[in-house]
Amino acid sequence: MFRVGIVGDGYTAADLLRLLAHHEQAEAVRIFSTENIGRRIDEVYPHLIGFSELICEESNWDLLKEECDLVFLALPHGLSVSIAMELLPAGVKCVDLGADFRLKDAGLYEEYYELTHPAPELLEEAVYGLPEIYREEIKQASLIANPGCFPTGAILPLVPLLEAGVLESSNLVIDSKSGVSGAGRSPKASSHFCEVNEGVKAYGVGTHRHGPEIAQELSRAAGKTVEMVFTPHLIPMNRGILTTIYARLRTTADPGLVRLVLEEKYRNENFVRVLPAGVMPHTKWVYGSNLLDIGIYVDEKSRHVILVSALDNLVKGASGQAIQNMNLLLGLEENNGLKLAGIHP
Amino acid sequence: MFRVGIVGDGYTAADLLRLLAHHEQAEAVRIFSTENIGRRIDEVYPHLIGFSELICEESNWDLLKEECDLVFLALPHGLSVSIAMELLPAGVKCVDLGADFRLKDAGLYEEYYELTHPAPELLEEAVYGLPEIYREEIKQASLIANPGCFPTGAILPLVPLLEAGVLESSNLVIDSKSGVSGAGRSPKASSHFCEVNEGVKAYGVGTHRHGPEIAQELSRAAGKTVEMVFTPHLIPMNRGILTTIYARLRTTADPGLVRLVLEEKYRNENFVRVLPAGVMPHTKWVYGSNLLDIGIYVDEKSRHVILVSALDNLVKGASGQAIQNMNLLLGLEENNGLKLAGIHP
Amino acid sequence: MFRVGIVGDGYTAADLLRLLAHHEQAEAVRIFSTENIGRRIDEVYPHLIGFSELICEESNWDLLKEECDLVFLALPHGLSVSIAMELLPAGVKCVDLGADFRLKDAGLYEEYYELTHPAPELLEEAVYGLPEIYREEIKQASLIANPGCFPTGAILPLVPLLEAGVLESSNLVIDSKSGVSGAGRSPKASSHFCEVNEGVKAYGVGTHRHGPEIAQELSRAAGKTVEMVFTPHLIPMNRGILTTIYARLRTTADPGLVRLVLEEKYRNENFVRVLPAGVMPHTKWVYGSNLLDIGIYVDEKSRHVILVSALDNLVKGASGQAIQNMNLLLGLEENNGLKLAGIHP
Amino acid sequence: MFRVGIVGDGYTAADLLRLLAHHEQAEAVRIFSTENIGRRIDEVYPHLIGFSELICEESNWDLLKEECDLVFLALPHGLSVSIAMELLPAGVKCVDLGADFRLKDAGLYEEYYELTHPAPELLEEAVYGLPEIYREEIKQASLIANPGCFPTGAILPLVPLLEAGVLESSNLVIDSKSGVSGAGRSPKASSHFCEVNEGVKAYGVGTHRHGPEIAQELSRAAGKTVEMVFTPHLIPMNRGILTTIYARLRTTADPGLVRLVLEEKYRNENFVRVLPAGVMPHTKWVYGSNLLDIGIYVDEKSRHVILVSALDNLVKGASGQAIQNMNLLLGLEENNGLKLAGIHP
């Protein structure tokens, strides 16, 4: 059994434990916390009773260096860099579920996260952890920047089409609808039940931190800076992100290529399902699972393309993808611990 | 007291009765049904106990002609035309909450509703019932095509800006998020609780009937055919539509004009609130009310404009707007019966 | 116009303002806050844009004494007593929406609220503000203890039956299901969207503070200490309390008496609807309104009685009932400002 | 691999397939339908894409006899008996997820289900499929009556305490709160999203069919007819049943016995978790899993006992329990295919 540690005790940490409980070759051996030190994790999260008996401990990097093959950093941004700098030289692989290694441009990080990046040299070393795009790089890496939940839903449908030159790289509109768990577990006015339930709103309009992350990956795929807008919305549900993408066919591209390219790209993937023509995704179909579904609509006359993706923000958008990355880093079967179907209804 | 009749007993009929109960100069005197004939309406809708004692009756146009000044047609499309043809010549004004008189182009009606329009000549006579746009025409009219719920949320933010030449008329993306009551009261697989709750999906992608209705009004405002995409989504909530609109500033337009034009246009309106800079609408803020809120974001650098509107699909998107039209048709104060604030939380 | 002040800016304060906006003879002139001093209340609660332009101010009792006929105290328990002691001698009537004057027994207050009551003499003066039970006392009072939300739903169905000797006063089980707004607006782990949505739980089992409040009123009605259990549950909805009451017919009582007594008691009330046989309440039927609905089931064979009541915890369970009390205190029509129907669906 | 068939294509059938996809020693080989004949099941339920490629077929009992070791009957009541009579003699074991074999008393079946039972002799042969109570009988059986969802949540906490004589067998109140999936997949007015969301109601008050089923098992445990009331409520959530049980300690019983007896009984069970003192269940903690959680509150003074249980109505309340029964019938490890934790948040 490989031995892994978890730093942090929020919702993504809890979902790591839920999924690791089914893993055949890796087990969680340590969990570090600040607020719950000394409490059993199944006291903090009673759904884990019978699935984990770990006790939340004060951070101790030496312990991780001695005991762990890999560590998940499930922390707010700004806290992961120094930990990675401790662990990596000791040969402990790191998967950062936060944002500290996602943007390759330290200037952009500073602009959006209002922090000077303490180790810009690590940005180059870190591999962006989207296995469907960077599988080979991940296998060779020690430090993974696990992608944001919104970026995962926007990038996987678009990258193959931008790489293939099927879509124009301008006038991209990405409109995402997210459940509330993406905002984390700390009580805030904006995640109060009564402020969310039976309503819907846009937030972070024009300023959300996942915008530059999406732009970075799409621009790389397009071979030039894409011109795009990204707007997230908050939906009264716990889990799930639906992303509706509006794009245009390039003048030279055949409308049939959209489906062809996506089906070809994802045919052998474990976790990406390109839905049949006429079927559009529903977030509940992937609830609790590591799947990402893609629906396709092409208006041949107007040459508009609408792509819709669905994922569970805590799984394929966070902890599931982190385990998928772990599997690659440790040389395991990529879907180990991740074979779950979505829970519907 | 003016006397009004209601044909139909679905959710919009129920909300007409809820609102008319507070009206000082109009009262509902008849309600016609097919499924609930003989039952009291407050047995069908117990929330109306104490607010209406009407009995659902079989349709009888002569009764309406004798007794009513105005009739609300709250029916599925295809059923209103023949009734209007009965009532109008008898001097009974009609507000059709369905779709039969909204599209000026009978060919488009046939294409989208799969029915040959039985009285295309009425399409010219009918006035599109958006008081903020067509107030004077409504006052003179006898037949009102009450707008669709999605079109109301898309048209009110865009029309003043297209008329003023502030926005480009191409590359418009309209992404709407709707509660379930818009789909009506008949049980269907798609409105089953378990198929909607804790999830989100797009529907009618590229084919929704409100698309041409929106295009008609935007094109009239722009003075030319707009180029637009409209996609509705189903959200786990009863009431409310949030519409996120993506547009671009015309090269000649100053970014500040967006707010200026909308504030100027709606300054004296009872039911449209242009929210302050930095505030984006939440559907719960207008829940149960006839209000429509508009939020504005302009990215001066990229010249993208994001407009977000919120309304209650059963009120400003249907029954409230119908009563607003009734008030104009009958020469009453426009906000009579409609002074309610939204219910929050 | 009567002039009223509001101390506090939580959800009940907001709903006071929503309802007072429709009131014909009273207007809110001051609102005091601690967290939002200097902000317009419609900035804190944008649903009130166009309905209130009040600015949240620092507490200043002299202002209230000079300007107000009546003051609503919408505060956490423990804070109202000293304010009432300031205002009452100056002739300002007080309606306390908190718990400080509800329990007649200062010892019980100390046991459940963990505070020594600072003015036990006021407990006698205060009238428990359930107009359907204490209407005449309220009219003569200066200080009203506005009932808790759960007690309102439990007491109104039971008191007439206990007074009439129809039900046994032992073996009463009161099982309540509440929306989340009853827990107030401050962000807490227990009101985090993800901890409530798509789930249900019991809380405060055996220890909830509304237990002794219910017992006090039921015992008064029964003429002896009732023996009861009360358990509240948290339901994923914003507003509404459904209370299911299990009781037994006294051996001497005719089963038909249950309905007879309740219908007789509430026949002329504005806000209590005894539903017809076979119809059980739904909280959505009273959503946003000051109504309380009661459904009745009597099993003649086993002599079990099941009573179910529904109310909106922020209206009949708090702010609406407070305005109903205000109307009585000021000699106004009892339903002024409170004529709203429930919002369904 | 054991080969199993499924008759029916509703929500419980879908959840059988979701769970069987993880089973190591059994696979679904046939699914029979009436409405979806010829469609792939993953077209009907897209969350199963990649997990089942079965095609819905017209019923054909010969096929099942040839191919299957065991068949799940996931049908409305009244339809299972004749199928079981076909399959059992051919050596095919049957697990009926419907109600046809649950009541031992054919008269009660006739009273509550309004059907004359066509094979009362099978009622004796059938074993009530609660493994925690009837494990040894199940292992020897051929026909299992899979318990109702409400009965599972009521019986498991109460039976050990009634058997041990800890609780009185009279004055039992069972108040259940259920998600909507228990009502099945067919669209009905009562499962329309807008009729359920943001509200709560009681239903089947005094008449629900699970009442006599609960009474049968409790009376067996108590050794005499229990006196109880059962009321279900509909909660705006997809999955989950919370059952709040009110009982009284027998005069001779020590209060500490409640916890002692339950912990002793369930110590070695895979699927029942007796929660620590002070912790009450939340349905989300068992979401999607085969677990049943029990919380205990004993008021030593009044000698009231409150037991709260939580389960997922489609898993431990239906399909998961059916697979648990299957594992016993086939001699497999009892938790095969059922090792999932609950999905929280």
Side-chain angles (χ1 to χ4, degrees), chain B residues 32-310:
Chain B
F32 291 169
S33 164
T34 50
E35 286 180 22
N36 292 300
I37 294 168
R39 297 177 70 196
R40 275 176 61 136
I41 193 68
D42 63 358
E43 185 193 334
V44 182
Y45 293 106
H47 69 293
L48 295 177
I49 294 175
F51 296 89
S52 174
E53 305 191 344
L54 289 181
I55 291 168
C56 297
E57 298 173 278
E58 208 177 342
S59 295
N60 177 335
W61 315 132
D62 288 338
L63 267 180
L64 298 185
K65 287 186 224 170
E66 279 164 39
E67 298 180 2
C68 293
D69 301 292
L70 181 146
V71 168
F72 294 104
L73 305 172
L75 295 167
H77 71 266
L79 302 178
S80 293
V81 183
S82 63
I83 307 175
M85 289 171 79
E86 278 272 351
L87 298 177
L88 290 171
V92 182
K93 290 170 194 272
C94 292
V95 178
D96 179 27
L97 285 82
D100 288 352
F101 301 107
R102 291 178 191 157
L103 296 177
K104 293 300 178 194
D105 177 342
L108 223 50
Y109 180 83
E110 192 163 342
E111 181 184 341
Y112 275 84
Y113 292 91
E114 290 162 21
L115 285 175
T116 305
H117 201 287
E121 67 283 6
L122 279 180
L123 296 179
E124 200 159 330
E125 188 185 332
V127 175
Y128 191 70
L130 259 185
E132 291 79 7
I133 311 285
Y134 295 106
R135 182 166 288 117
E136 295 313 313
E137 292 88 334
I138 293 167
K139 287 181 183 170
Q140 312 303 324
S142 299
L143 171 60
I144 300 296
N146 210 57
C149 51
F150 289 118
T152 299
I155 294 168
L156 286 179
L158 277 172
V159 155
L161 297 168
L162 290 170
E163 282 181 342
V166 175
L167 299 181
E168 288 185 14
S169 62
S170 60
N171 280 315
L172 291 167
V173 172
I174 299 166
D175 187 287
S176 289
K177 295 91 178 162
S178 177
V180 185
S181 59
R185 196 185 178 222
S186 312
K188 280 172 288 207
S190 57
S191 57
H192 189 297
F193 184 85
C194 296
E195 302 294 326
V196 174
N197 186 49
E198 192 59 0
V200 51
K201 66 167 184 181
Y203 68 99
V205 179
T207 64
H208 195 282
R209 287 159 171 170
H210 286 179
E213 185 181 337
I214 297 171
Q216 164 182 293
E217 295 301 310
L218 299 189
S219 297
R220 191 205 51 75
K224 61 176 164 184
T225 304
V226 297
E227 186 253 339
M228 55 161 266
V229 193
F230 163 64
T231 309
H233 299 76
L234 200 63
I235 305 295
M237 58 187 193
N238 287 8
R239 288 168 180 254
I241 292 177
L242 193 86
T243 299
T244 313
I245 300 166
Y246 300 88
R248 315 193 61 128
L249 275 178
R250 279 181 66 182
T251 8
T252 53
D254 184 85
L257 274 177
V258 179
R259 174 166 294 279
L260 213 71
V261 164
L262 287 173
E263 288 189 343
E264 178 61 25
K265 167 73 183 175
Y266 293 122
R267 173 160 301 129
N268 298 312
E269 289 293 339
N270 279 302
F271 301 117
V272 181
R273 302 188 294 198
V274 178
L275 299 179
V279 181
M280 281 289 167
H282 190 297
T283 56
K284 202 59 170 55
W285 297 344
V286 299
Y287 200 84
S289 84
N290 199 47
L291 296 160
L292 177 135
D293 286 351
I294 302 175
I296 299 168
Y297 176 81
V298 182
D299 186 321
E300 303 206 359
K301 211 170 96 198
S302 72
R303 302 183 68 81
H304 279 111
V305 176
I306 302 178
L307 303 166
V308 184
S309 75

Side-chain angles (χ1 to χ4, degrees), chain C residues 30-334:
Chain C
R30 294 280 172 192
I31 182 159
F32 291 169
S33 165
T34 51
E35 285 181 24
N36 292 301
I37 294 168
R39 296 177 71 196
R40 277 176 60 138
I41 193 67
D42 63 359
E43 186 193 334
V44 181
Y45 292 108
H47 70 293
L48 294 176
I49 293 176
F51 297 89
S52 176
E53 303 192 345
L54 288 180
I55 291 168
C56 297
E57 298 172 276
E58 209 176 342
S59 296
N60 178 334
W61 316 132
D62 289 337
L63 266 181
L64 298 184
K65 289 186 222 170
E66 278 164 39
E67 299 180 1
C68 294
D69 301 291
L70 181 145
V71 168
F72 294 105
L73 305 172
L75 296 166
H77 70 268
L79 302 178
S80 294
V81 183
S82 63
I83 307 176
M85 290 172 77
E86 278 272 351
L87 299 177
L88 291 171
V92 182
K93 292 171 192 269
C94 292
V95 179
D96 179 26
L97 284 83
D100 287 351
F101 301 106
R102 292 179 190 156
L103 296 177
K104 293 300 178 194
D105 177 343
L108 222 51
Y109 180 82
E110 191 163 342
E111 180 184 342
Y112 276 84
Y113 292 90
E114 290 160 23
L115 286 175
T116 305
H117 200 287
E121 67 282 6
L122 279 180
L123 295 179
E124 199 158 330
E125 187 186 332
V127 174
Y128 192 70
L130 259 185
E132 290 80 7
I133 311 286
Y134 295 107
R135 180 167 288 119
E136 294 314 313
E137 293 88 334
I138 293 168
K139 287 181 183 170
Q140 310 304 322
S142 298
L143 172 59
I144 300 297
N146 210 58
C149 49
F150 289 119
T152 299
I155 294 168
L156 287 179
L158 278 172
V159 156
L161 297 169
L162 290 169
E163 283 182 342
V166 176
L167 299 182
E168 287 185 16
S169 63
S170 60
N171 279 315
L172 291 166
V173 172
I174 299 167
D175 186 288
S176 289
K177 295 91 178 161
S178 175
V180 185
S181 59
R185 195 186 179 221
S186 311
K188 280 172 287 207
S190 58
S191 56
H192 189 296
F193 184 84
C194 297
E195 302 294 326
V196 175
N197 186 48
E198 191 60 0
V200 52
K201 66 167 184 181
Y203 67 100
V205 179
T207 64
H208 196 282
R209 288 161 170 167
H210 286 178
E213 185 181 337
I214 297 170
Q216 165 183 292
E217 295 301 311
L218 299 189
S219 297
R220 192 205 51 76
K224 62 174 163 183
T225 303
V226 297
E227 186 254 337
M228 55 160 265
V229 194
F230 163 64
T231 310
H233 298 76
L234 198 63
I235 304 295
M237 59 187 192
N238 286 9
R239 288 169 178 253
I241 292 177
L242 195 87
T243 298
T244 313
I245 300 165
Y246 301 87
R248 314 192 63 125
L249 275 177
R250 281 181 65 182
T251 9
T252 53
D254 184 85
L257 274 177
V258 179
R259 175 166 293 280
L260 214 69
V261 165
L262 287 172
E263 287 188 345
E264 178 60 24
K265 168 73 183 173
Y266 293 122
R267 173 160 301 128
N268 298 312
E269 289 293 341
N270 280 302
F271 301 118
V272 181
R273 303 188 293 198
V274 178
L275 299 179
V279 180
M280 281 290 168
H282 190 296
T283 55
K284 202 61 169 57
W285 297 344
V286 299
Y287 199 85
S289 85
N290 199 46
L291 296 160
L292 178 135
D293 285 351
I294 301 175
I296 299 167
Y297 176 82
V298 182
D299 186 322
E300 303 206 359
K301 210 170 96 198
S302 71
R303 301 182 67 80
H304 279 111
V305 175
I306 301 177
L307 303 167
V308 184
S309 75
L311 54 76
D312 181 323
N313 56 295
L314 287 178
V315 191
K316 185 63 176 168
S319 306
Q321 187 141 270
I323 290 174
Q324 190 181 354
N325 281 311
M326 175 194 81
N327 287 337
L328 290 169
L329 288 170
L330 299 178
L332 306 174
E333 214 189 349
E334 193 169 331

Side-chain angles (χ1 to χ4, degrees), chain A residues 11 45 179-189 191-198 235-238 284 287 345, chain C residues 11 45 179-189 191-198 235-238 284 287 345:
Chain A
Y11 284 150
Y45 293 106
V180 185
S181 59
R185 197 186 177 221
S186 311
K188 281 172 287 206
S191 57
H192 189 297
F193 184 84
C194 296
E195 303 293 326
V196 174
N197 185 48
E198 191 59 1
I235 304 296
M237 58 187 195
N238 287 9
K284 202 60 170 55
Y287 200 84
Chain C
Y11 284 150
Y45 292 108
V180 185
S181 59
R185 195 186 179 221
S186 311
K188 280 172 287 207
S191 56
H192 189 296
F193 184 84
C194 297
E195 302 294 326
V196 175
N197 186 48
E198 191 60 0
I235 304 295
M237 59 187 192
N238 286 9
K284 202 61 169 57
Y287 199 85

